[in-house]
Amino acid sequence: SLERGGNWEYELFYKWYGSALHKVGNHDKEKEINQIGLSFFPNSPDILYNQAVCALSLSDTTEANEFITKFRSRHQELGSSAFDIEGMIGWMYSDANITDKAEVHFRKAHEQKPQKTWWIFSLAQLLINNDINIEEGMELVQKGLNIQPDNSFLLWAKGRGLYKQGNYEEAVQLLKSVQEKFVSFQYELNQHLQEAEQALANKNK
């Protein structure tokens, strides 16, 4: 497409390429790709999400708020529930490493729909991974597992919590079992398992 003087009009390309650029910290290129994507797909929730995360990461609050407003409006048009919208905005802040704002939105999502396991997990993993309140995070995990005992994400969060609490052997066993549940490779899960295995090896020296 570039050789022919245009850009590739394929929405998922911009979604995943923009997300990948964000993860490696190339925010200038990330912003450029998002802008091209939005020129073709101005109402794409995924690209609006990416651009909001990019703006938050660049501390451009004004632009971030504009994209968050557009994102919220678009999901309202699509019929998304209020609690799901709050939770998705929570993930925006989480992806931008703004944990205090992420916690606010995850709590709103959880309060509005306390039995939905995805928002239980979202809040729990934030509390555990960022050492905000590991005990509360583990209580939330158990609440979620009472609803859905085989939920891989909740089991993953429990394994991470066990590691944070110093229960390395239990953490390794659980994280290994969770890894087997996923069809695709989960990079972050693999990192968590390696950390737990290293901590267990150091403990047993």
Side-chain angles (χ1 to χ4, degrees):
S1 294
L2 290 174
E3 289 174 359
R4 294 177 179 179
N7 286 296
W8 197 17
E9 294 186 36
Y10 181 60
E11 185 176 350
L12 289 180
F13 168 75
Y14 298 98
K15 171 188 175 180
W16 292 116
Y17 188 22
S19 177
L21 289 166
H22 177 77
K23 290 181 184 298
V24 298
N26 190 347
H27 299 308
D28 290 337
K29 184 67 175 179
E30 173 192 7
K31 185 174 182 178
E32 177 189 341
I33 290 299
N34 290 337
Q35 287 173 337
I36 295 171
L38 286 173
S39 72
F40 294 124
F41 310 101
N43 295 316
S44 167
D46 291 326
I47 305 175
L48 288 170
Y49 178 101
N50 284 357
Q51 193 68 315
V53 172
C54 181
L56 288 169
S57 299
L58 294 170
S59 300
D60 190 339
T61 305
T62 301
E63 185 172 272
N65 287 337
E66 289 176 1
F67 282 109
I68 290 171
T69 298
K70 290 179 181 178
F71 177 85
R72 187 187 292 275
S73 297
R74 181 57 180 148
H75 268 284
Q76 288 170 343
E77 291 172 0
L78 294 170
S80 300
S81 63
F83 60 84
D84 278 337
I85 294 172
E86 287 296 336
M88 287 185 281
I89 293 173
W91 276 107
M92 283 182 185
Y93 283 103
S94 180
D95 287 344
N97 293 317
I98 306 174
T99 54
D100 57 336
K101 292 288 184 67
E103 182 180 351
V104 168
H105 288 281
F106 284 152
R107 287 194 184 279
K108 284 183 180 179
H110 176 54
E111 287 166 5
Q112 291 177 41
K113 196 71 172 180
Q115 299 302 307
K116 186 157 184 176
T117 53
W118 179 249
W119 300 127
I120 293 173
F121 159 75
S122 299
L123 177 56
Q125 63 81 33
L126 183 84
L127 297 176
I128 292 168
N129 288 345
N130 295 281
D131 300 312
I132 297 169
N133 191 329
I134 296 170
E135 184 177 344
E136 182 188 0
M138 292 295 274
E139 289 173 358
L140 284 165
V141 166
Q142 191 55 54
K143 173 186 174 180
L145 290 172
N146 289 340
I147 298 168
Q148 195 174 355
D150 294 328
N151 186 296
S152 298
F153 289 98
L154 287 167
L155 291 169
W156 177 358
K158 182 176 181 179
R160 185 63 171 169
L162 287 169
Y163 162 76
K164 293 275 188 173
Q165 292 176 332
N167 299 319
Y168 303 134
E169 188 169 353
E170 290 179 68
V172 168
Q173 291 176 354
L174 183 53
L175 291 172
K176 278 184 176 179
S177 70
V178 173
Q179 192 175 53
E180 292 171 359
K181 289 177 176 287
F182 284 98
V183 176
S184 59
F185 180 73
Q186 299 291 321
Y187 174 78
E188 190 175 3
L189 172 58
N190 188 61
Q191 292 295 107
H192 290 171
L193 175 57
Q194 288 184 3
E195 288 179 28
E197 288 176 331
Q198 186 60 56
L200 180 61
N202 293 339
K203 181 182 177 181
N204 292 334
K205 280 184 180 179

